[in-house]
Amino acid sequence: MTIKLTTAAAAIALLFSTGGALGNDKPTDPQIAHIAYTAGVLDVEAAKQAIATSKNKTVVEFAESMLRDHESVNKQALDLVKKLNVTPEDNDTSKSLSQAAEAKRQELAKLKGGEFDKAYIEHEVAYHKQVNGALETLLIPSAQNAELKSLLETGLKLFQGHQQHAEHVAAALK
């Protein structure tokens, strides 16, 4: 089941690896902005699904923190792109992330109770691990604008905390 649960994370890993959707080209700042914003929106949608579905207080509290934090970072990202007069540029990576997230939402929608809780949290661990890796190895090093790079670095610290939080909740659910 863990293999099925990490579909989106595997898609992210594939996208950011050599030969993935970005190939050997470094993403541009507008592409980076769109990828980062899309990743945040997708985790907000996953959090809303968990809040609506889970009856586990710990899982719901985790999802509420994901909702709050990712909406806050995305607001900062939108404010920054407006300030910089940059139009986020849709790209193959953003589209693939959205497709993988939709598949995950449909997979999670079939689960109930403890099975849903475990699947959601395991997905959150894998998703944050892969997004954090992409931020560290590709998105932050590729960002040309100092303010965008700074926002990504701030996001990385926050998302590393999310990963640790998700790992803690996952351990408690076992």
Side-chain angles (χ1 to χ4, degrees):
M1 175 173 265
T2 300
I3 293 171
K4 286 177 64 179
L5 299 175
T6 58
T7 302
I12 293 168
L14 179 64
L15 293 169
F16 292 112
S17 65
T18 301
L22 291 173
N24 293 322
D25 297 330
K26 287 185 175 183
T28 63
D29 283 357
Q31 290 173 329
I32 291 169
H34 200 276
I35 293 166
Y37 182 79
T38 299
V41 166
L42 297 176
D43 210 36
V44 165
E45 291 172 359
K48 288 179 179 176
Q49 183 180 27
I51 291 167
T53 304
S54 181
K55 304 294 184 223
N56 182 306
K57 180 181 177 190
T58 303
V59 171
V60 171
E61 287 175 353
F62 173 82
E64 289 172 342
S65 69
M66 295 301 102
L67 180 67
R68 181 187 59 246
D69 290 352
H70 285 284
E71 283 184 337
S72 175
V73 170
N74 277 354
K75 182 184 179 322
Q76 292 174 48
L78 286 178
D79 290 346
L80 179 60
V81 296
K82 285 179 188 171
K83 175 183 170 188
L84 299 175
N85 199 24
V86 171
T87 302
E89 187 176 296
D90 197 9
N91 54 74
D92 289 345
T93 302
S94 298
K95 292 174 186 171
S96 294
L97 285 172
S98 295
Q99 290 170 351
E102 179 56 30
K104 175 54 67 181
R105 273 193 298 277
Q106 290 178 14
E107 181 183 316
L108 289 173
K110 297 174 185 171
L111 304 175
K112 303 235 182 282
E115 195 174 63
F116 172 87
D117 294 337
K118 285 180 135 184
Y120 167 70
I121 291 298
E122 287 177 9
H123 172 68
E124 286 295 301
V125 170
Y127 189 75
H128 281 92
K129 191 177 291 183
Q130 293 301 323
V131 169
N132 291 341
L135 282 165
E136 287 176 310
T137 62
L138 181 65
L139 300 179
I140 291 172
S142 298
Q144 298 298 306
N145 180 280
E147 290 181 79
L148 176 60
K149 188 179 288 259
S150 176
L151 180 61
L152 294 172
E153 290 168 342
T154 299
L156 175 60
K157 290 176 188 167
L158 179 67
F159 304 150
Q160 287 170 331
H162 289 171
Q163 181 183 332
Q164 291 174 343
H165 187 182
E167 289 169 344
H168 176 76
V169 174
L173 291 177
K174 289 185 177 179

